[in-house]
């Protein structure tokens, strides 16, 4: 908008008409005071200022405009009838004008000047606005950077406070921060702690996880640079996502060496104890069987005591055998002897064995495939899995005597499942039942056991490259299954 300042209404009128005819927006003021008040309130791109005005002349008005930041940049064209002398023109420029036009006005020339100055000012304003926006953005970015920096500092402080070795990696997998504990295992921030030559290659494992964007969790030994000892650590590395992109990684090494040592000692004790118990027990069993036979021949009434003791000896024997199996698994010595066998016969045999040792109320139904099915597997070990499933199905169904065994074959595998209608297992505990020594807490006091049967089963099935699992509903029952690959 253009502001015309003149005390003469006729001049204002004709000038206003002239400018409006060229589509300029025009505002007017009839004195210096009014002009200043308006200019402080509104935004003008150009002021056309009459020099001869009664109270405050045009030069004074211009000097006033120069005193306010809002108005000092507005270009001013002076209009004057009398002051054509050089000194007045000079004063006009000195007081902030950009041009000096004398009356009578040549409308065409004035219009050309107005257009030029008006557009120049518009461009100036646009540049100023862009500059302001840029400054705002730079300020915003600087503030964001400062707040991000302080967040990172806070995060690093937290990592320093951890009892573990903690570090971060950038998106390319390069170490970007380490806490002070790192230096017990490495001399430099850039050098990853030295791992034991027999352990897995951390770099390779990390690359696999990096490609998939997944967590890494490994038990590895790293070398303490002061003592030179390798200590077991649990290494965890987690990706930090920003939207769908990995921004960086956070890692920790937790020292688990003491736990590992205790676990090893416990395994060694179990292995020695079960071996040492097995030999005398085998002798006791053999002598008792002899005694049982003798008493039967002589029709001695006391034979029932010996028979009952033999049942208990058999139980003890199977507990010790399970413990021996656990130590074999720990030492990688649980051997599987795969030969072509009829799985149907093995399933039926396991059911038969269970039926013989339980009372007549027990009902085991056979569903699905009943024809012979030959495939390579270790018959003794698979029967052990089935006997374990069946024993558990009966043990954990005190109110029910029904068990269903189903065999089902598809193109790739054969699946055998054992369903009971017993106490069931809470969903979040179902995966854990295959872990070593795990027993569901709620039922552990009511039912006897050591929590190793299913662990051994899962190892046996793993070695057959099959799968093992459970689906269960609390108070409704469970289905334990395993699959064996057909090829
Ligand atoms: P154990 O029976 O000697 O405790 P297992 O390894 O065979 O050990 O089973 C582990 C745990 O899984 C059991 O303690 C029990 O809590 C749960 N479990 C196993 N089978 C069943 C089942 N059929 N129904 C309910 N819970 C079961």
């Amino acid at each position: 908008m253009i502001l015309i300042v003149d005390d003469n209404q006729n001049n204002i009128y004709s000038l206003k008409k002239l400018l409006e005819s060229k589509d300029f927006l025009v505002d007017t003021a009839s004195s210096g005071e009014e002009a200043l008040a308006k200019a402080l309130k509104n935004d003008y791109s150009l002021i056309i200022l009459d020099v001869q005005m009664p109270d405050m002349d045009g030069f004074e008005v211009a000097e006033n405009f120069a005193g306010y930041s809002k108005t000092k940049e507005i270009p001013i064209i002076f209009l004057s009838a009398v002051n054509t002398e050089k000194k007045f023109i000079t004063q006009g420029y000195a007081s902030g004008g950009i041009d000096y036009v004398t009356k009578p006005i040549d409308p065409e020339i004035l219009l050309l000047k107005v257009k030029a100055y008006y557009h120049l000012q518009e461009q100036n304003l646009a540049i100023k606005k862009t500059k302001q926006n840029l400054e705002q953005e730079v300020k915003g970015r600087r503030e964001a950077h400062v707040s991000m920096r302080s967040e990172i500092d806070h995060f690093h402080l937290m990592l320093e406070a951890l009892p573990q070795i903690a570090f971060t990696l950038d998106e390319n997998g390069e170490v970007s921060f380490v806490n002070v504990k790192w230096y017990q295992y490495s001399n430099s921030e850039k050098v990853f702690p030295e791992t034991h030559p027999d352990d897995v290659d951390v770099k390779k494992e990390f690359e696999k996880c990096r490609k998939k964007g997944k967590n890494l969790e490994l038990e590895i030994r790293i070398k303490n640079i002061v003592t030179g000892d390798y200590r077991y650590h649990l290494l965890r590395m987690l990706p930090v996502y920003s939207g769908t992109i990995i921004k960086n990684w956070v890692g920790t090494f937790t020292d688990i060496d003491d736990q590992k040592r205790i676990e090893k000692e416990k395994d060694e004790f179990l292995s020695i104890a079960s071996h040492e118990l097995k030999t005398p027990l085998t002798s006791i069993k053999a002598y008792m069987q002899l005694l049982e036979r003798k008493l039967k021949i002589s029709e001695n009434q006391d034979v029932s005591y010996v028979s009952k003791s033999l049942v208990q000896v058999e139980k003890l024997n199977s507990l010790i055998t399970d413990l021996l199996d656990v130590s074999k698994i720990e030492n990688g010595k649980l051997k599987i002897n795969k030969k072509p066998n009829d799985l149907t016969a093995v399933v039926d045999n396991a059911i038969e064995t269970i039926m013989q040792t339980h009372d007549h109320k027990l009902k085991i139904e056979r569903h699905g495939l009943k024809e012979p099915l030959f495939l390579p597997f270790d018959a003794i070990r698979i029967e052990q899995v089935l006997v374990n499933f069946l024993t558990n199905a009966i043990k954990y169904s005190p109110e029910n005597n029904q068990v269903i065994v189903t065999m089902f074959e598809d193109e790739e595998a054969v699946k055998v499942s054992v369903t009971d209608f017993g106490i069931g297992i809470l969903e979040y505990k179902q995966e854990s039942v295959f872990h070593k020594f795990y027993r569901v807490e709620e039922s552990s006091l009511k039912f006897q056991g050591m929590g190793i049967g299913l662990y051994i089963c899962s190892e046996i099935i793993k070695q057959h490259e099959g799968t093992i699992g459970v689906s269960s509903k609390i108070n409704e029952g469970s289905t334990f299954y395993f699959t064996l690959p057909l090829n």
Side-chain angles (χ1 to χ4, degrees), residues 392 395-396 420 425 433 438-440 449-451 453-454 478 480:
N392 280 351
K395 180 162 74 170
Y396 295 105
D420 65 62
I425 307 162
V433 296
Y438 181 86
R439 306 202 69 219
V440 175
M450 289 198 293
L454 290 176
S478 314
F480 279 85

Side-chain angles (χ1 to χ4, degrees), residues 447-463:
F447 304 95
Q448 280 185 347
M450 289 198 293
I452 52 176
L454 290 176
Y455 168 67
I456 298 168
C457 292
S458 76
E459 275 301 316
I460 292 172
I461 298 300
K462 211 190 282 171
Q463 291 214 31

